[in-house]
Amino acid sequence: MQSQDLIPHLFRTEYSKLVAVLSKFFGLDHIEVAEDIVSETFLAAMETWPYQGIPDLPTAWLYRVAKNKTLNHLKKHQHFNKKISDGFKKSNTWIEELVVDLSEQNIRDSQLQMLFAICHPSISTESQISLALRVLCGFGIDEIADAFLTNKETINKRLFRAKEKLRTEKIQLILPSDEEIKNRMEAVLKTIYLLFNEGYYSERSETLIRKELCLEAMRLNFLLLENPLTNQHLTNALMALMCFQASRLEARVGGSGEIVLYQDQDASLWNNELISRGNYYLTKAAAWPVISVYFLEASIAYWHTIQEDSGEKWENILHLYNQLLAIAYSPIAALNRTYALAKVRGKETAIQEAEKLGLSNNHFYHMLLAELYRDQNPAKVKSHLQKALELCKTDSEKKLIEKKLSKV
């Protein structure tokens, strides 16, 4: 791999690890110092590797340079953080005694602690996700702005306010108490889930599917699974859901960049390894005597990985949707249910149920009705497709709808 390809790859995988460890080292009130040092480390790689060659152990090189830059910073700013200097001799020798722990265990611990710090209840949901993208996923300001369909100034202000909260609330980079973990888990998992969904279906980007976001969400969730305190029912259920959904990413986009609907996907492109992992985590989640939204959604996603278009499959999906709507109703879940209803009880029943929802401003609603009216009423198929084309925001969906319109 050439340096122009390797450095961005390492930035994506190592940036968050270094920032988390150095933020723990300096304290969250100096998170910008950690970010600056890590950015300078990668800049050094960009300036050095193309001319001197890629080191034999590039990751170790980055860690060594980050450590050296940390020590250099401390020597230049011996009083920048009284907390660090307390207990050490007031000379350069105390700096040499400090150890930046970049062991695998400390990296995992620091990232997990950072995740809970970011999801502090005093920080808004949008800011939590923005900070997670920046600090835990290594996304640039431009990338975050694209993800939220806004400008850099807005993202910079959002990040600034979030970091100010970290300071004013005196949030520490430690794993919270058992009770606090319990209270904060919902926000942590919601942040991960929203991150995954932004990758799975993004209306804010020219690219409908952003695999790197899905992978980052799964990586963060895996950190939770590795820790006994956070390896819970919801964590396993969410991991199962993401594995099942991610297993079909390759099949969701056609050769011309158009979105491919579930019923039209090439099942040979589904990732069987991810399906197997999803089954593993779903089984683990089932060990807890609870039924959660993530568990029901994961169970629905599981049945969608079954290729056979059988009555048993759609009966189970319909039953699971009924359970899901009973504990957490949402119009979109109700809309998705109508496709399973069509498979089980016929299109006429499904059309009646769908039209009761009245989601006339939702392009998925019109796409579904166009599918249900297919082979029955070409005029309604065309009308719903035209309305869906007006409402949808992504180029890949417009290509799909235009393709369907050309066949009516």
Side-chain angles (χ1 to χ4, degrees), residues 271-290:
N271 188 314
N272 290 322
E273 183 179 350
L274 279 174
I275 293 173
S276 178
R277 297 304 296 172
N279 287 329
Y280 169 79
Y281 289 115
L282 188 61
T283 302
K284 294 273 285 183
W288 279 266
V290 292

